[in-house]
Amino acid sequence: MWVSSLASILPLVVLAFALPSKDCEHQVKEEVVPPRGWTIFGPAPSDHFINLRIALPQSNFNLLEQHLYEISDPYHERYGAHLTKEEVEDLVAPHPDSVAAVNEWLSSHGIQEEDISRSSAGDWLAIRVPVWLVEKMLDTKYHIWKHATSGDYIVRTTSYSLPKDILDHVELIQPTTMFGTFKRLKSTIHSISPTNSQVQAQNQPPVSDPVTGLTVDASCNTTITITCLQQIYNAVGYTPSAHVGNSVGIAGYLGDFANRADLQSFFEDQVPAAAAVNATYNFVSVAGRLRFLGFSSWLTLSKVVSTHKIPLTLAWSLTSILSLRSWLDFMLSHPNPPLAISTSYGDDEQTVPESFAKRACAGFAQLGTSIWARFTTSNSTLCVPQVPAECRSRSLPETGGVGDGDPDPATQTCITNDGQNRTQFIPGFPASCPFVTAVGGTILFPEQAVAFSGGGFSNYFARPSYQDAAVQGFLNKLPKGTYSGLFNPNGRAIPDVAAQSDFFRVFAAGQPIHVGGTSASSPTFTGFVTLLNDARLKKGLPSLGFLNPLFYSTAASGFNDITVGNNPGCGTEGFNATVGWDAVTGLGTPDFAKLVKLVT
């Protein structure tokens, strides 16, 4: 798998010797301690090709961030005045001096303009080069690394350097020090007979929540269906329009894909009107690299909650944490992306270099400033203009409570990856990005927090101002010294919101099964955001865009506060669900009827 033909690299070899490479003293740009679990397997073959991505500094990101918060603040006069794609790109375009300096550096190594792919804003460059040339350019040495647990192999280095005269013109280069293993956020598939549980519940009286006053079918405590979600979240009877320009999207990675036949079975089971018109989805392959290795039943959820009247787009990307960058590039270049997006993939924040995490987070800010919205998951995560089906961020990722994602508490390490081997709660990325909406998990009715709901505080991102009041209130209620040193109380807090996350009835290979995880919470919540967009579009209002400033202010009363449950991990009971925001379920779960009134 490491061998490339001589013919394929000959043009680069000729060019590299045809031009003198830039002779300038190098300085270390980034270095990391080899992460726990990774060991050197051997030297990287010199002719192995690497798809190198180079980030140039974004010239006016601070101004873009200001725009984002102004247009997302319901108290601001500019609320809802999203920027155009071109206006966003102007704000993040690199300075001409950076472009010229990096072009000259690449040219000195025989890399010409036709060898370079550039993002729409020109702030990211991509080149495909062999190891021997990358090592020369970055004054480093690559190795093949093997992961002890997964058995995965990757080609990486633990440090790289750049000529001093371009050091400030390059923000980061990857893959270099990136050892993260992009993963599904712990979805679980239970081989249960949902039919039996439904039959048993048919003879039970409806269940009422004395706090919300809502009543749902007893079967919803054993099997979650579209009808259950409509009942639990007060959306019974709402009908979206097919003619207001609404849309929803789901991102998929790691070979997961939706199955059209299973989708039809699902519709026949729960949404007969959709089955009758053979409703389906649009599929887009990002970077042309789709592998059919499995199925992801989550991919149906946003669609069915939003109903078959709203166009659904499924977009797949590659198979590592770097896929997130490819996906962002694609979405940022798209002339008409979905208005809400869900994702359910991510990794422990500490396995992603801080420089990459912050730059990827900036990409979510770009999306939020434009005309659409997105979710991701971290325990759940969500982004807006809005994102992903198994994510910890602008929708959510699924984690093992406050732990490192290992569902077995006995084997959770919760050890830092910085060489100091400190015990610490492990936040997830991209859920920890402040420009996405992270979604946590609940279970049963009346609702309570589910134990595997991720939650906690970022070590990379400071707490955004929109969270200050809600999160400080939570911290003030913690007994003094609780988990001292195990989390960063000043970090961006997750999750933001929550939704049902277990006992979902879906179809796989034509058979009904039960599935669970915050990989279900994220697309479920995204579906209701899509309905909120529908309500706004019907009134001639713009789509919601970046959600968090709205949720933590004028829309806060539109959530059902979850006060029961906790998210154990790292040998602790984790955080408790409590009155107000908490690090298990965030602000709570949506009351759609209330939210519609608040946002329209």
Side-chain angles (χ1 to χ4, degrees):
M1 65 184 287
W2 308 112
V3 179
S4 298
S5 69
L6 178 61
S8 66
I9 65 171
L10 187 57
L12 277 174
V13 175
V14 173
L15 286 171
F17 283 106
L19 293 171
S21 62
K22 203 164 189 176
D23 186 14
C24 182
E25 183 181 353
H26 280 63
Q27 183 174 319
V28 173
K29 181 68 175 178
E30 187 171 32
E31 58 184 336
V32 298
V33 175
R36 187 180 60 258
W38 290 98
T39 56
I40 292 177
F41 181 77
S46 62
D47 59 353
H48 170 68
F49 272 79
I50 293 177
N51 294 313
L52 209 62
R53 303 182 65 86
I54 303 169
L56 278 58
Q58 297 176 323
S59 56
N60 290 300
F61 180 77
N62 289 341
L63 184 56
L64 179 135
E65 189 175 12
Q66 177 185 331
H67 282 293
L68 174 63
Y69 281 121
E70 288 180 355
I71 66 178
S72 305
D73 179 359
Y75 293 113
H76 200 281
E77 62 183 2
R78 293 185 61 205
Y79 180 65
H82 307 301
L83 303 186
T84 66
K85 174 178 176 291
E86 291 73 23
E87 288 172 332
V88 171
E89 290 175 353
D90 285 344
L91 290 170
V92 300
H95 193 280
D97 289 350
S98 294
V99 176
V102 172
N103 283 350
E104 183 182 354
W105 172 61
L106 293 176
S107 179
S108 73
H109 288 283
I111 300 168
Q112 302 303 315
E113 182 60 33
E114 58 268 25
D115 304 314
I116 305 171
S117 297
R118 300 179 187 269
S119 64
S120 294
D123 56 335
W124 278 92
L125 311 182
I127 56 175
R128 187 170 184 267
V129 287
V131 164
W132 67 265
L133 182 53
V134 179
E135 291 180 337
K136 182 180 180 183
M137 295 169 63
L138 305 183
D139 190 26
T140 189
K141 181 66 177 176
Y142 276 79
H143 290 87
I144 301 171
W145 294 76
K146 181 179 180 180
H147 193 260
T149 303
S150 67
D152 290 342
Y153 293 89
I154 58 175
V155 175
R156 295 291 189 271
T157 182
T158 55
S159 70
Y160 67 95
S161 302
L162 291 171
K164 284 187 175 181
D165 60 351
I166 69 163
L167 202 65
D168 293 335
H169 295 296
V170 173
E171 188 168 326
L172 65 98
I173 299 179
Q174 291 292 350
T176 50
T177 58
M178 174 81 74
F179 284 81
T181 53
F182 207 47
K183 59 190 176 187
R184 301 168 184 83
L185 297 164
K186 285 191 240 15
S187 59
T188 55
I189 298 178
H190 310 291
S191 297
I192 308 171
S193 172
T195 303
N196 292 340
S197 59
Q198 284 183 300
V199 170
Q200 293 170 3
Q202 284 178 353
N203 298 323
Q204 301 297 318
V207 181
S208 297
D209 184 339
V211 176
T212 65
L214 296 174
T215 299
V216 307
D217 295 340
S219 62
C220 298
N221 272 321
T222 56
T223 298
I224 293 294
T225 63
I226 299 304
T227 298
C228 287
L229 294 176
Q230 292 170 333
Q231 292 176 354
I232 294 171
Y233 298 130
N234 201 13
V236 175
Y238 184 85
T239 303
S241 172
H243 309 292
V244 292
N246 202 5
S247 57
V248 60
I250 299 176
Y253 302 86
L254 304 178
D256 290 341
F257 65 95
N259 184 295
R260 295 183 190 274
D262 284 338
L263 178 62
Q264 289 307 309
S265 296
F266 182 90
F267 283 157
E268 290 171 3
D269 182 64
Q270 297 187 38
V271 193
V277 296
N278 198 32
T280 188
Y281 50 82
N282 296 322
F283 166 76
V284 177
S285 177
V286 177
R289 296 284 297 278
L290 174 67
R291 298 177 181 177
F292 294 96
L293 301 179
F295 88 101
S296 179
S297 54
W298 310 123
L299 300 178
T300 64
L301 298 181
S302 284
K303 172 68 174 182
V304 296
V305 171
S306 302
T307 85
H308 62 286
K309 295 184 178 181
I310 298 174
L312 171 70
T313 297
L314 304 180
W316 272 261
S317 190
L318 311 183
T319 56
S320 74
I321 189 68
L322 288 172
S323 304
L324 179 62
R325 188 62 249 176
S326 298
W327 183 86
L328 280 168
D329 284 347
F330 177 82
M331 286 299 176
L332 289 169
S333 68
H334 201 290
N336 188 31
L339 296 179
I341 303 173
S342 174
T343 190
S344 298
Y345 301 78
D347 204 352
D348 299 337
E349 184 183 71
Q350 67 174 7
T351 68
V352 182
E354 186 172 354
S355 61
F356 180 87
K358 289 187 173 180
R359 187 54 184 263
C361 187
F364 286 115
Q366 290 174 243
L367 291 176
T369 311
S370 190
I371 59 173
W372 52 291
R374 133 181 326 90
F375 291 83
T376 50
T377 31
S378 154
N379 331 359
S380 326
T381 301
L382 176 79
C383 298
V384 200
Q386 239 53 303
V387 163
E390 286 190 17
C391 170
R392 293 186 191 194
S393 155
R394 218 187 235 232
S395 278
L396 315 169
E398 192 149 282
T399 70
V402 295
D404 60 3
D406 189 330
D408 184 357
T411 56
Q412 283 187 354
T413 55
C414 302
I415 300 298
T416 59
N417 237 353
D418 57 5
Q420 299 183 32
N421 293 325
R422 295 173 289 117
T423 300
Q424 191 175 66
F425 292 162
I426 309 296
F429 179 81
S432 62
C433 171
F435 305 125
V436 307
T437 301
V439 183
T442 61
I443 193 172
L444 305 176
F445 187 84
E447 292 183 275
Q448 61 187 53
V450 70
F452 55 68
S453 181
F457 300 81
S458 172
N459 292 311
Y460 288 173
F461 302 99
R463 185 168 70 232
S465 59
Y466 62 74
Q467 281 194 317
D468 277 343
V471 174
Q472 193 58 54
F474 171 77
L475 294 173
N476 290 343
K477 286 183 287 188
L478 286 178
K480 189 175 181 179
T482 300
Y483 304 145
S484 178
L486 292 182
F487 70 95
N488 171 25
N490 299 313
R492 186 277 202 265
I494 52 178
D496 298 300
V497 294
Q500 286 282 320
S501 61
D502 211 352
F503 305 124
F504 278 70
R505 177 178 167 90
V506 297
F507 282 76
Q511 299 300 313
I513 61 171
H514 276 177
V515 293
T518 50
S519 293
S521 310
S522 177
T524 295
F525 192 87
T526 306
F528 285 103
V529 170
T530 302
L531 294 182
L532 293 175
N533 278 338
D534 175 82
R536 286 178 60 84
L537 293 169
K538 285 176 180 176
K539 292 193 173 184
L541 299 171
S543 60
L544 287 172
F546 178 40
L547 300 171
N548 293 359
L550 170 71
F551 286 172
Y552 282 90
S553 58
T554 60
S557 61
F559 291 89
N560 305 312
D561 194 8
I562 308 302
T563 60
V564 177
N566 62 303
N567 54 356
C570 303
T572 74
E573 291 302 308
F575 296 107
N576 290 319
T578 186
V579 174
W581 183 93
D582 56 68
V584 194
T585 60
L587 296 168
T589 59
D591 184 315
F592 178 74
K594 289 182 179 179
L595 286 171
V596 165
K597 294 179 180 179
L598 291 168
V599 303
T600 58

